[in-house]
Amino acid sequence: MDKLMQGKAIIVTGAGSVGEGWGNGKAAAVLYAREGGRVLAVDRSIEAALQTQDIIRSEGGVCEVLAADVSRNTEVKAIAEAAMDHFGRVDVLHNNVGIADVGGPVETSEESWNRLVAVNQTSLFLTHKHVLPIMEKQRKGAIVNISSLAALRWIGFPYLGYTATKAAILAFTKNVAMQYAPMGIRANCVLPGMMDTPMIREPLKASYGGDIEQMRAKRNAQCPMGFMGDAWDVAHASLFLASDHARYITGLDMIVDGGLSLRCAG
Ligand SMILES: NC(=O)c1ccc[n+]([C@@H]2O[C@H](COP(=O)([O-])OP(=O)(O)OC[C@H]3O[C@@H](n4cnc5c(N)ncnc54)[C@H](O)[C@@H]3O)[C@@H](O)[C@H]2O)c1
């Protein structure tokens, strides 16, 4: 039996990881490849992308890499061109890149705000701008945008620029889903809750008393299941949405949070 993503050409942005272990983008890239996808692993850090490529190639998968900052138009244009050069098509666009900073409107510097908007929000505008025309010609494509439960819920401390930009992704995705539904292109969001990935450790530890183990214990306790999710939980949800098994699903906000968003007290 064919694998779920057999032969599909897949762009994953932020396909490396900022620290040791499995980030969401790295896990998604590896899972797509395990399911037969041909992955273009894009990352601002070529070293991070190469680590992902090593894993995929060591498992016999197909992975090309490209260093690009997804907040820059010319570099995103190069991503679409590289995918066409390597694979001749783009079946899946997986927008994983996202950065975090804590604080409300007074504490957040204008520079930090602008950076969050550029990296979390403008990056999506640019990847869609350059990849949708390719998908439109194919009359087929699937887009997975990684938002966050923080787009919908207060997570315990001011997280303004992050939550605002992650919320914008939800509206953006629905708009694209409606415009492109007649062209066979689907666009969905994944909203991870509290996940134990390298990304959260440094930016958030001060909000949890400064100690990573203490932060991990507190976050585990906050989750109804008693533990945080991990990068593979996000990757499996993304795989489903990107696959043809989700052919009739578009504009969805898929929450992956172990029930966290159902809680109204405690
Ligand atoms: N970990 C969580 O608890 C959690 C919860 C909700 C949502 N998310 C979302 O998951 C995604 C992060 O996943 P991750 O764990 O793979 O993150 P990560 O921080 O490990 O980043 C993955 C890669 O993105 C790259 N990157 C950063 N800025 C870039 C840019 N401008 N251009 C290109 N590459 C860039 C980094 O170099 C890194 O290798 C984000 O969108 C985040 O908002 C995470």
Side-chain angles (χ1 to χ4, degrees):
M1 204 173 78
D2 267 0
K3 293 178 173 178
L4 213 51
M5 306 305 283
Q6 196 62 48
K8 289 192 189 285
I10 302 169
I11 297 171
V12 179
T13 72
S17 181
V18 284
E20 287 299 306
W22 291 95
N24 294 330
K26 187 174 174 181
V30 169
L31 188 60
Y32 286 136
R34 284 181 184 165
E35 286 296 331
R38 298 175 292 162
V39 174
L40 176 62
V42 176
D43 206 288
R44 195 177 48 178
S45 156
I46 191 65
E47 292 79 18
L50 286 169
Q51 280 183 16
T52 301
Q53 185 187 50
D54 282 349
I55 295 169
I56 291 175
R57 288 191 169 173
S58 72
E59 296 180 357
V62 177
C63 180
E64 305 295 337
V65 293
L66 184 71
D69 179 340
V70 291
S71 66
R72 294 173 189 271
N73 193 3
T74 51
E75 297 186 29
V76 176
K77 186 164 178 278
I79 297 172
E81 288 167 356
M84 290 304 279
D85 286 348
H86 289 301
F87 309 133
R89 56 186 293 115
V90 179
D91 297 295
V92 177
L93 168 64
H94 179 110
N95 281 302
N96 166 73
V97 168
I99 55 170
D101 201 359
V102 294
V106 177
E107 305 81 55
T108 301
S109 69
E110 190 179 350
E111 190 191 6
S112 166
W113 172 265
N114 287 337
R115 183 85 192 127
L116 286 164
V117 170
V119 175
N120 293 356
Q121 207 176 315
T122 307
S123 64
L124 257 75
F125 164 69
L126 295 173
T127 55
H128 285 69
K129 177 179 269 311
H130 293 295
V131 171
L132 277 168
I134 299 169
M135 291 180 167
E136 195 178 342
K137 278 199 193 114
Q138 297 168 181
R139 305 294 291 178
K140 192 163 174 163
I143 300 170
V144 178
N145 292 325
I146 305 300
S147 176
S148 170
L149 183 60
L152 304 177
R153 300 281 188 274
W154 169 257
I155 65 155
F157 46 82
Y159 211 15
L160 185 80
Y162 183 77
T163 58
T165 51
K166 288 293 176 180
I169 291 175
L170 305 182
F172 182 103
T173 305
K174 288 177 176 60
N175 208 293
V176 170
M178 284 305 287
Q179 185 183 353
Y180 284 87
M183 295 162 225
I185 299 166
R186 300 180 297 103
N188 292 291
C189 283
V190 175
L191 288 72
M194 290 198 188
M195 318 309 284
D196 190 11
T197 68
M199 175 198 174
I200 53 138
R201 291 179 197 140
E202 285 309 314
L204 295 194
K205 80 174 179 195
S207 306
Y208 286 87
D211 178 73
I212 284 180
E213 280 319 309
Q214 200 177 313
M215 172 173 90
R216 200 179 253 142
K218 270 194 195 165
R219 280 170 69 94
N220 281 337
Q222 283 173 298
C223 295
M225 290 183 163
F227 61 91
M228 285 185 274
D230 64 23
W232 297 101
D233 296 311
V234 179
H236 279 284
S238 304
L239 173 68
F240 168 67
L241 290 174
S243 77
D244 291 340
H245 286 192
R247 65 167 206 154
Y248 207 52
I249 299 176
T250 196
L252 181 74
D253 296 339
M254 183 182 275
I255 295 175
V256 179
D257 72 346
L260 182 63
S261 53
L262 303 176
R263 175 173 271 165
C264 72

